[in-house]
Amino acid sequence: DFSGLGLYQIVETDGQFEIGCMVSLRQLELHEGLNTYAADSVKNAVKDIVGVQFRNTATVGGSIFGRYGFSDVLTVFMAMDTYVVCHNAGEIPIREYAKMKADRDIIVKLIVKKKPIKVAYIAQRHAKTDFPILACAVSCIDGVWSAVLGARPLRAQEVVIPSDITTPEEMGKYAADQLTFGTNMRGSAEYRKQIAAVLVKRAVIAAGREQ
């Protein structure tokens, strides 16, 4: 029980956000500073997760620790310069943490480094509050564009887009071609690959890349 450890706060400094493992998804949704920095991408990633009552109890730590394939939360934070701070292993880039096998280490907090960033989040669902068919976050940090695709239905994975691929449509096609997709009750692999290209294109435009 971590409830008495004070890990239920989002602390903003000049250089980063520290997000305690007990922070609720609802706190992420409503935090003005974080969503101003991330252009509402964090809010957009969590706002359709079940309902407000659930988001008031579900935590950041639980969402990241599970490394769930359907996780909107993992997908959006992988698009930013985010680090997972573990009790034993210390500070790990979230992109590396997402690849690791499950263990019994404890997540203490997330750290999101403040860098000039363009970022957007879009997900495809059969219905509001349902698990995503495909989750998509794109970002541009230090001039490098990348796309993170989750709910493939595999774990979220990042694709770094080469600088010579310049239009949103080309960027979407490239990202979709680099990843494998699977089939489950929510959609086929072929369908997911098709919508991956479209979601990346739309997210790139939303993040501010001109057509």
Side-chain angles (χ1 to χ4, degrees):
D1 182 0
F2 302 159
S3 62
L5 300 180
L7 299 173
Y8 48 81
Q9 296 177 331
I10 300 174
V11 178
E12 181 179 2
T13 66
D14 289 341
Q16 64 189 30
F17 294 93
E18 292 189 9
I19 304 170
C21 66
M22 292 299 292
V23 167
S24 72
L25 303 189
R26 182 66 170 167
Q27 286 175 266
L28 292 180
E29 184 180 2
L30 298 178
H31 195 275
E32 184 176 347
L34 181 61
N35 281 294
T36 297
Y37 168 74
D40 282 340
S41 59
V42 175
K43 175 182 177 180
N44 290 336
V46 303
K47 65 183 177 63
D48 291 325
I49 297 177
V50 189
V52 172
Q53 288 178 314
F54 180 84
R55 296 197 296 277
N56 275 328
T57 57
T59 64
V60 172
S63 299
I64 299 298
F65 178 82
R67 303 173 180 89
Y68 302 114
F70 56 79
S71 178
D72 300 272
V73 180
L74 180 62
T75 302
V76 73
F77 279 115
M78 280 181 64
M80 294 182 274
D81 190 19
T82 304
Y83 298 81
V84 180
V85 179
C86 297
H87 177 69
N88 292 320
E91 191 172 302
I92 306 168
I94 195 169
R95 294 176 180 88
E96 297 302 318
Y97 185 84
K99 299 174 186 176
M100 293 166 57
K101 293 182 179 179
D103 55 31
R104 296 183 64 84
D105 204 350
I106 296 169
I107 292 179
V108 179
K109 60 186 174 182
L110 297 185
I111 294 176
V112 179
K113 305 285 187 180
K114 287 184 177 179
K115 289 184 173 181
I117 188 174
K118 295 179 179 179
V119 60
Y121 182 88
I122 301 176
Q124 178 77 9
R125 287 173 161 82
H126 281 309
K128 190 174 181 179
T129 76
D130 193 8
F131 288 119
I133 304 168
L134 193 72
C136 170
V138 304
S139 63
C140 181
I141 302 174
D142 296 329
V144 178
W145 283 90
S146 66
V148 180
L149 291 167
R152 297 177 295 120
L154 310 169
R155 286 183 191 177
Q157 188 172 338
E158 180 190 33
V159 175
V160 177
I161 299 172
S163 59
D164 60 342
I165 297 176
T166 58
T167 70
E169 186 169 0
E170 291 172 334
M171 294 164 80
K173 185 177 185 305
Y174 178 84
D177 286 343
Q178 300 310 300
L179 296 177
T180 57
F181 300 87
T183 297
N184 65 3
M185 63 182 290
R186 289 184 171 80
S188 67
E190 293 79 8
Y191 175 64
R192 283 189 165 95
K193 182 170 183 177
Q194 282 189 326
I195 64 173
V198 176
L199 292 188
V200 171
K201 172 185 173 180
R202 291 177 179 175
V204 166
I205 293 171
R209 180 80 179 220
E210 295 182 358
Q211 299 190 57

